Amino acid sequence: MMVDKCSIYKYILTGLRYLKYNKPRYNSKPSLTSITFDRDDITGYNLIAGPSTLLPYCVGKGAIEEVIGVLEKLEKDEYAEYLIEYYKDGLERFGKNWVYADITTVLIGLSSIIMPENYLEVGVRRGRSLAMVLSKSPECNAVCFDMWVPNYAGMDQPGPDHVTREMKKFHHSGKLEFINGDSHETMPQYFKQNPNVYFDLITIDGDHSPNGASMDLTHALPRLKVGGAVVFDDIVHPSHPSLITVWKNYIVSDPRFISYSFTDLGYGVGFAIRKY
Ligand SMILES: C[S@@+](CC[C@H](N)C(=O)[O-])C[C@H]1O[C@@H](n2cnc3c(N)ncnc32)[C@H](O)[C@@H]1O
């Protein structure tokens, strides 16, 4: 059989592409990757769902009702009580037409689809955002970074034992690891000690300074699986006006991610899916 040079070249190229995209960048296949995953000229087909598909799960009535259900189970502080009232008011006035999202609706929606096996969170506080994830994926292993800043945002900061007790309400059976201390130092240390750990879902909601949030994204993003999601909170929080720029610089303008930003109401939230 005659084999021309062009065919050999194409064959080698296909092999190289296959190796490039199949190197062990993650522990197991996350649910948003598609069956096609071996060519670099079709990155648009690496995924089966992007933010447009995920929005109905993350924004509006269905997600908000689920969030209220989780918040009702948690020990409430002033902020949680206010939010529940706010959600109920929005639903009463606008019903299914209410377009609202925040970190909780996005996390509960993404978790219901992705069903993360490995979750990383920077900024745990009382476990509100963590509860959204674990209520949907109770077997998930969670790695939680917090330095437990006392009296954070003027509210009680009860610490990891409280969060562990709260997560039992959701029958959490996975591993719950607290990495206590400044995430700018503890995250690189953790990754050095755990070189093969990758995540289906990552939330960055710790240090809200522009440098601090940038550092957390820089450290965490390389450990996000292809097909996994990153959530970034407070992108229009009036006390943190630089966070929107950090979000745009690190995620929105990066072609590896397809992103969605909600900025209409509340403090705003962004999420993105890693395409390649
Ligand atoms: C906004 S709260 C997190 C709220 C939580 N994600 C939720 O949705 O309820 C921010 C948390 O980040 C923690 N934090 C702030 N700076 C940090 C840093 N440099 N390293 C680790 N944790 C930090 C604070 O102690 C606080 O508990």
Side-chain angles (χ1 to χ4, degrees):
M1 193 180 72
M2 286 284 290
V3 183
D4 61 42
K5 271 188 185 163
C6 189
S7 307
I8 294 173
Y9 177 71
K10 271 189 192 159
Y11 182 77
I12 293 171
L13 206 67
T14 307
L16 287 176
R17 281 173 179 158
Y18 181 84
L19 285 176
K20 184 177 163 199
Y21 282 100
N22 285 279
K23 56 187 179 192
R25 269 193 281 184
Y26 47 75
N27 314 343
S28 62
K29 186 178 160 86
S31 64
L32 296 183
T33 50
S34 72
I35 48 168
T36 311
F37 198 52
D38 60 354
R39 290 176 54 156
D40 58 4
D41 56 347
I42 53 164
T43 49
Y45 287 93
N46 284 350
L47 302 179
I48 194 72
S52 314
T53 304
L54 298 167
L55 285 187
Y57 303 90
C58 296
V59 178
K61 190 170 186 281
I64 297 161
E65 283 172 346
E66 294 213 70
V67 166
I68 294 174
V70 172
L71 291 180
E72 295 284 11
K73 286 190 183 172
L74 292 172
E75 231 177 70
K76 295 181 203 68
D77 65 1
E78 227 181 289
Y79 182 48
E81 273 170 8
Y82 169 76
L83 281 178
I84 292 173
E85 285 315 304
Y86 180 82
Y87 296 152
K88 287 183 176 168
D89 191 17
L91 290 178
E92 212 174 285
R93 292 203 222 176
F94 302 101
K96 65 177 175 37
N97 294 326
W98 197 35
V99 180
Y100 173 83
D102 62 24
I103 184 175
T104 62
T105 65
V106 164
L107 282 175
I108 213 158
L110 290 177
S111 301
S112 71
I113 301 298
I114 296 177
M115 297 292 287
E117 287 173 11
N118 291 292
Y119 173 57
L120 182 152
E121 181 168 283
V122 185
V124 182
R125 207 168 78 84
R126 300 173 63 91
R128 180 188 63 144
S129 42
L130 184 62
M132 301 301 150
V133 177
L134 301 188
S135 68
K136 286 292 173 188
S137 196
E139 288 171 16
C140 176
N141 298 316
V143 183
C144 307
F145 294 84
D146 204 302
M147 64 191 287
W148 315 105
V149 175
N151 201 31
Y152 186 86
M155 278 174 283
D156 190 23
Q157 178 79 286
D161 291 347
H162 170 85
V163 176
T164 305
R165 277 195 304 279
E166 290 285 78
M167 293 314 119
K168 293 209 170 103
K169 295 177 180 170
F170 304 96
H171 311 290
H172 180 233
S173 59
K175 213 165 132 190
L176 185 55
E177 223 176 321
F178 292 102
I179 313 292
N180 306 319
D182 186 342
S183 60
H184 312 322
E185 289 160 21
T186 56
M187 216 189 322
Q189 280 162 13
Y190 175 85
F191 287 143
K192 211 167 166 190
Q193 287 157 6
N194 297 274
N196 299 316
V197 177
Y198 290 81
F199 296 89
D200 309 284
L201 183 59
I202 291 178
T203 295
I204 303 294
D205 189 23
D207 182 351
H208 281 44
S209 71
N211 282 347
S214 303
M215 230 188 279
D216 284 341
L217 283 169
T218 304
H219 292 145
L221 287 177
R223 296 306 184 99
L224 181 64
K225 295 179 190 177
V226 171
V230 57
V231 178
F232 191 71
D233 198 23
D234 293 329
I235 57 174
V236 289
H237 195 304
S239 307
H240 307 290
S242 305
L243 287 185
I244 186 74
T245 311
V246 174
W247 172 244
K248 284 181 181 164
N249 288 348
Y250 280 81
I251 303 287
V252 180
S253 61
D254 184 330
R256 287 176 305 165
F257 297 101
I258 338 164
S259 63
Y260 170 77
S261 310
F262 180 82
T263 56
D264 290 20
L265 301 166
Y267 294 149
V269 63
F271 75 90
I273 314 298
R274 183 169 173 188
K275 212 162 40 160
Y276 59 88

